[in-house]
Amino acid sequence: MHDDERQRAAGRLVREEDLRKAGEQLEAMGFRPAHPDHYRARHFHIPYYPGGNRYRFAVEVHWEVTPATSPVQFRARDWLGSARPVELRCGPVLLPGKADEIAHAAWHAFAAGSPRLRDLRDAALLWEAHGDAEERASTAARAADAGAGLF
């Protein structure tokens, strides 16, 4: 989940065994999953939309951070180990470590084969918000560990 409200989507990272419970919680709040069987079988997250409207803000429920087929691998178990607690309007949540959050946003921008401006904007906003020299070095190291060596 991103703590900057200018982001276009929020993500919930859950253990795979908690996927059903997370979906039930979102559905109780009026969110509806988009093609859950398809996403469950072929992807690493399921998007939920308010009232099922796919043109509105999405909440993505992730059980993994990157697709199994990606040469870059950010692993959920690593993220859960470096998560940071924050208080948002919705209550207390765990966010990815800052370095993981920035590296993943940058990877996301290029994952489709060419840069997407909305994803580059997400990465730039995070870089600006968490951009001291130590954090930038940590971000580059986390990206290299995940396989994005040219970060």
Side-chain angles (χ1 to χ4, degrees):
M1 177 173 278
H2 303 291
D3 58 354
D4 186 324
E5 293 180 8
R6 297 173 291 179
Q7 301 283 338
R8 62 184 164 70
R12 282 180 83 183
L13 178 61
V14 300
R15 293 185 306 255
E16 194 165 1
E17 59 269 20
D18 293 333
L19 190 58
R20 179 188 306 259
K21 182 178 178 181
E24 289 171 353
Q25 290 172 346
L26 284 168
E27 288 184 41
M29 294 186 297
F31 286 81
R32 298 294 172 257
H35 312 291
D37 294 334
H38 169 82
Y39 277 95
R40 183 72 180 95
R42 295 172 184 84
H43 213 49
F44 58 102
H45 75 271
I46 298 172
Y48 285 76
Y49 297 91
N53 183 342
R54 295 189 67 190
Y55 298 101
R56 297 192 54 206
F57 184 86
V59 176
E60 297 172 345
V61 178
H62 287 255
W63 58 91
E64 197 50 83
V65 185
T66 47
T69 57
S70 174
V72 175
Q73 290 294 310
F74 295 99
R75 296 323 239 156
R77 65 184 165 274
D78 297 336
W79 278 33
L80 291 170
S82 65
R84 56 194 162 97
V86 294
E87 187 73 31
L88 299 178
R89 289 184 310 188
C90 63
V93 298
L94 290 174
L95 293 180
K98 292 177 182 180
D100 291 321
E101 189 175 37
I102 296 168
H104 182 260
W107 167 80
H108 212 279
F110 291 94
S114 62
R116 296 181 302 203
L117 291 179
R118 68 181 188 195
D119 295 319
L120 288 173
R121 180 181 176 271
D122 289 350
L125 288 171
L126 291 167
W127 189 260
E128 181 181 309
H130 309 306
D132 69 25
E134 185 176 325
E135 288 172 344
R136 288 180 179 169
S138 177
T139 298
R142 294 295 283 177
D145 288 346
L150 297 177
F151 187 87

